[in-house]
Amino acid sequence: MLGIRFDIALAGLRSEPMTALSVSDRLAVALHSRIPIEHAKAVLANRLDVDINEALALMRRHARSQREPLADVASAIIQGSADLASLARPEHS
């Protein structure tokens, strides 16, 4: 079973050639977007007096409900333009 999954994954990699540069670029983009998210988690945790995991959960929930990228929510928190009260309120479905 594992061999079949490996073959499928390998076939996917072969269908889209990856160069060292494309992998490096993808890692740089991921790191670049992750830094502000980590910063925003710390800011939100401090301001709302919640732990880091809860801060991330609040950010993710807000991003999903507003259909915004998590990186944009993080930027708004860092810049001070995010409505922290709305981030802290439970979502009403």
Side-chain angles (χ1 to χ4, degrees), residues 66-82:
Q66 299 301 308
R67 294 190 172 117
E68 292 181 45
L70 186 57
D72 291 355
V73 172
S75 292
I77 291 168
I78 294 166
Q79 294 169 2
S81 60

Side-chain angles (χ1 to χ4, degrees), residues 8 40 61 75 91:
I8 292 169
R61 186 187 72 214
S75 292
E91 190 176 331

